[in-house]
Amino acid sequence: MVLVRDTSTGYGVVTRLFHWIMAVAIFALFGLGYWMVGLDYYSPYYTSAPDLHRSAGMVLLVGFVIRWGWRLVNTDPGDDELTRFERVASRIVQKGFYPLILAMLVSGYFISTSDGKGIDVFGIVTVPSVTESKPIGLWAGYIHKVLAYMTMAIAGVHTAAALKHHFVDRSQILKRMWSGPPKS
């Protein structure tokens, strides 16, 4: 039986799908962003790469808000396998990811809309601009870049910790995010 909701022993299918889809999307958006800032005016991707980045970022923002809401109404699996230090570090990283990613997504929105134009999301809907301010766009650009690198650094530590728990400690930490609660 596939568990939809999280339990005290593992994550349900919804949380796991959100986790892995968003992880892949965040890494892909970072890679796309890193690549596209080096494009020059004559590149055939000069406009399409940023359009894709903005559209995917807006979809990610909606998914992120839904994921955060889902997390608030679900049980946290226990962390008895962790040492006190690991438990505290895990909570800081997990709780810190949410405001960090939200701030990164919102700053991306302000970069893209600082000219007063909305964001066309895959030709389906336009997210309107709330302000027209070049200084806000410049500050948002700086903030977005710093937060993107911070996100990648923390994601790297998060990944290394999960792999350490799996391969060195032989714990169930990674398994419950990959395949859910243990079968009883």
Side-chain angles (χ1 to χ4, degrees), residues 141-154:
Y142 174 74
I143 291 167
H144 190 72
K145 181 178 181 178
V146 169
L147 294 179
Y149 280 100
M150 284 176 63
T151 300
M152 290 299 103
I154 294 171

Side-chain angles (χ1 to χ4, degrees), residues 11 43 47 58 61 67 75 109 130 164 166 180:
Y11 296 101
S43 169
T47 57
M58 289 295 97
L61 178 58
R67 178 186 179 172
T75 302
Y109 165 82
V130 295
K164 179 250 185 204
H166 186 74

Side-chain angles (χ1 to χ4, degrees), residues 18-124:
F18 271 129
H19 178 272
W20 294 110
I21 290 169
M22 291 186 75
V24 168
I26 288 168
F27 277 101
L29 282 170
F30 179 82
L32 177 60
Y34 185 83
W35 172 73
M36 74 183 195
V37 296
L39 296 175
D40 66 14
Y41 181 77
Y42 299 104
S43 169
Y45 306 107
Y46 183 74
T47 57
S48 62
D51 288 346
L52 175 61
H53 189 84
R54 284 188 287 266
S55 290
M58 289 295 97
V59 171
L60 188 63
L61 178 58
V62 170
F64 173 79
V65 170
I66 294 168
R67 178 186 179 172
W68 203 343
W70 179 257
R71 178 157 176 85
L72 292 173
V73 299
N74 269 277
T75 302
D76 267 343
D79 53 9
D80 297 340
E81 297 178 73
L82 303 177
T83 66
R84 186 175 191 290
F85 170 78
E86 291 170 336
R87 193 174 297 122
V88 170
S90 172
R91 287 190 182 133
I92 289 170
V93 168
Q94 287 180 7
K95 303 286 190 245
F97 258 141
Y98 286 91
L100 176 66
I101 292 169
L102 180 62
M104 184 174 54
L105 291 166
V106 170
S107 65
Y109 165 82
F110 281 112
I111 295 167
S112 301
T113 61
S114 65
D115 61 358
K117 297 176 187 163
I119 299 172
D120 177 46
V121 181
F122 296 116
I124 299 169

